[in-house]
Structures are given as structure tokens and as C-alpha cells.
Amino acid sequence: MKVVGGSASIPLARALAVELGVPFVDVSFEKHPGGFPDGESYVRLLGQVAREHVVLVQTTHPDPKVVEFLLLADAIRDAGARRVTALIPYYGYSRQDKRFLEGETVSAKTLAKHIALNCDELLTMTIHNPEILKTFPIPASEVSGMPALGRYLKAAKTDFLLAPDENAVRLVKEGGAISSTPWDYLQKERIDSYRVEIASKKLAVKDKSVAIVDDVISTGGTIATAAKELRRQGARHVIAACIHGLFVNNAEANLKICDDLIATDTVQSPHTRVSVAPEFAAAIRALD
Ligand code: R5P
């Protein structure tokens, strides 16, 4: 087995290779220093992968990383790999998991069709709607990021976990079991891409250190709204914790209300505090 990392996921890909005790294959992402002037992607494998089982690690966010993934998968197949596992730490486009309006595409599935061109199976982490994986043209499964986050929150002596919406309940349930911490959830209604409303609810958080746990932080609107509610109810310390930290637009400013921001390395950011390499290594070892 060998591990190849796309440019969105090199630290995680290297950590995974170390966990698995297998070689990491370097890739060149620029033909000439500075890359192509028009911004097109370029990949060149700098090691042999013929007859190998290759694990290709690449988050599909932002969009250029999708193209780079497709180029890498093709290069790996052309170079004679016998099996290619697409390991997509954060599956970009997962939130368009159905046709909300006539004429739309189910983007999560569109991406999977293209991934399937050169990959035999797909592993991802804490996807927005795990049901979508059943519709993919290759075997696809989800690995939970909560053990990694739960270990961190336990060490940080968090007293309480809060899901900012019903979709995150499965995360706080699992995290609560790992860190022996009580949890609760809020009900959220999205107004637009940036604003959400949260129904008021009495929470047992007075003087507590609380972590708001979500799958994704994008603009930070969801977490900031939940954090305001926690402050209003007397929480002493508020942590924003997520598996996938995108932190787009004004997220940093929105989240100033929190005492700390924590994310995993599915998306590399200044707030990456914990690696999910052990979780993915266990999932790779468990493949048939
Ligand atoms: C949506 O249901 C997701 O689980 C997240 O709550 C959402 O994507 C977070 O987005 P934002 O940070 O922009 O509020």
C-alpha cells in the first residue's frame, strides 16, 4: 500500500502514512515555479505506484481541489495502481444532498460519479447526510470524526456539549459518550446563507464550560447564534468545535464571541488542533 496526498490534505496524508507504516508518494503540483498563469491545476507523481493499493487523500474543497483530485486519480490509475481508495476527509458538496428545486443537480452524487471513474471505493468523514453514500456508484462509507474531537474535549475538561441543530445531535451523543459529558441540542431555522434563528430553550449551562459541536463551520453564523444563547444563559467558557472548519467570509469575526475554536485536520486551518489520522488508519485497515 502507498499513500498519495493532494495539496489540500498533505499533513493528514503524511500522518496517515505514518500511522499505517506505508510509504508516502510525493507529488509535484507545479510544472514551473508559480504554476500555470491561468490557474489550472497540475499534478505529477514523483514515485512508483504500479501494482499498489493506493490511498488518495484529498479534501474536495475549495473547487480547484476537486479538479486536482480527478487529475491525481487518473495519474495513479494510468501509472498502474491495482486498487485506488479515495479518502476524502471533507466531502465538499455534501450539503447539496437532494434536488431541493426542479432543475438542480444532486451535487454530492455528481461528484461521486466522477470520483468513481478511477477509484474503487470511497471513505469520507462525518458527512452531512450519510444516507447519500448509499446512492454512490462505488462502495462508500463514513468514518466518524467524533472520537478525535471527543478526546480533545475530554482533555480540555469540557462540562457540557451542545448541538446547535438537530443534524448535530448524533455528534454530541457520540462525543458525550466518549467524554462522559452531558449534552443537549437546539432547534435551528436557516433564514439565508449567513443568518440562522435558534428557538430559545433552557439549558443546564450556568457557570459551565460548554462546547458547541457541529459537523461544519462555514460562515460561523450557526455557532455564533448558539454561543449568544449560551452567554445569555450564563455559560462560563464557550468553545466552538467542529470536524470540518471551513471558516469562510467573516467567520473569524463572527466567532469572536467564543473563547476558543477547534477543528480537525480534515480541512487544514489555523484552528486545526486534532488529527483524524488514527480514525482513518483504522478504517483503512478494516477494508476487505
Ligand atoms: C448545516 O446544517 C451544517 O450542519 C452546519 O450547521 C452549517 O453548514 C454551518 O454553516 P455556518 O457556519 O455558515 O452557519
Side-chain angles (χ1 to χ4, degrees):
M1 179 183 285
K2 290 191 176 178
V3 174
V4 173
S7 65
S9 301
I10 289 174
L12 175 56
R14 282 193 182 279
L16 179 69
V18 170
E19 284 280 338
L20 291 169
V22 304
F24 178 82
V25 177
D26 279 312
V27 174
S28 169
F29 297 103
E30 287 179 353
K31 191 160 191 168
H32 310 289
F36 289 132
D38 53 16
E40 287 181 358
S41 299
Y42 170 86
V43 300
R44 179 177 168 227
L45 299 172
L46 299 177
Q48 300 301 317
V49 296
R51 293 174 297 284
E52 296 283 352
H53 175 184
V54 176
V55 180
L56 169 56
V57 186
Q58 170 84 320
T59 272
T60 52
H61 168 89
D63 279 8
K65 305 301 177 189
V66 177
V67 175
E68 192 188 277
F69 176 94
L70 299 174
L71 298 178
L72 275 170
D74 209 21
I76 291 166
R77 194 59 98 185
D78 271 359
R82 75 180 153 80
R83 178 175 179 179
V84 184
T85 302
L87 193 160
I88 303 189
Y90 168 61
Y91 194 93
Y93 287 94
S94 56
R95 286 173 290 177
Q96 180 74 16
D97 58 351
K98 58 181 168 227
R99 212 179 302 282
F100 296 92
L101 297 171
E102 198 186 324
E104 290 180 347
T105 180
V106 182
S107 311
K109 210 169 152 185
T110 309
L111 203 59
K113 287 180 193 167
H114 290 83
I115 290 166
L117 288 174
N118 282 305
C119 298
D120 300 296
E121 70 235 320
L122 189 157
L123 282 181
T124 188
M125 178 157 280
T126 310
I127 191 163
H128 188 65
N129 169 13
E131 288 298 304
I132 192 76
L133 298 172
K134 295 180 188 154
T135 70
F136 287 4
I138 49 174
S141 50
E142 178 199 53
V143 178
S144 175
M146 275 319 290
L149 216 49
R151 284 195 298 274
Y152 185 95
L153 294 173
K154 187 174 185 178
K157 300 202 186 317
T158 308
D159 305 313
F160 195 93
L161 305 185
L162 181 69
D165 56 28
E166 286 175 280
N167 194 52
V169 167
R170 69 182 183 121
L171 306 183
V172 290
K173 253 189 199 169
E174 191 184 348
I178 292 164
S179 58
S180 314
T181 309
W183 58 268
D184 206 338
Y185 69 98
L186 294 170
Q187 272 169 324
K188 171 178 101 178
E189 201 189 325
R190 185 163 283 287
I191 313 297
D192 58 31
S193 303
Y194 299 93
R195 292 176 304 147
V196 300
E197 269 178 13
I198 276 173
S200 189
K201 179 179 184 183
K202 181 82 190 114
L203 301 162
V205 295
K206 190 158 172 35
D207 299 325
K208 299 268 172 65
S209 170
V210 185
I212 308 167
V213 182
D214 209 349
D215 56 345
V216 181
I217 295 180
S218 178
T219 67
T222 298
I223 297 264
T225 309
K228 276 181 204 137
E229 182 66 14
L230 287 175
R231 293 287 189 208
R232 202 179 60 75
Q233 296 198 31
R236 172 175 52 81
H237 192 80
V238 178
I239 300 172
C242 66
I243 310 293
H244 313 295
L246 307 182
F247 303 109
V248 303
N249 299 341
N250 292 327
E252 306 280 343
N254 286 341
L255 293 169
K256 281 215 158 67
I257 185 167
C258 299
D259 297 297
D260 207 357
L261 310 184
I262 294 160
T264 77
D265 54 355
T266 61
V267 181
Q268 204 62 39
S269 82
H271 307 297
T272 296
R273 298 278 184 82
V274 50
S275 178
V276 294
E279 280 65 37
F280 274 126
I284 296 283
R285 284 191 207 100
L287 288 174
D288 296 334

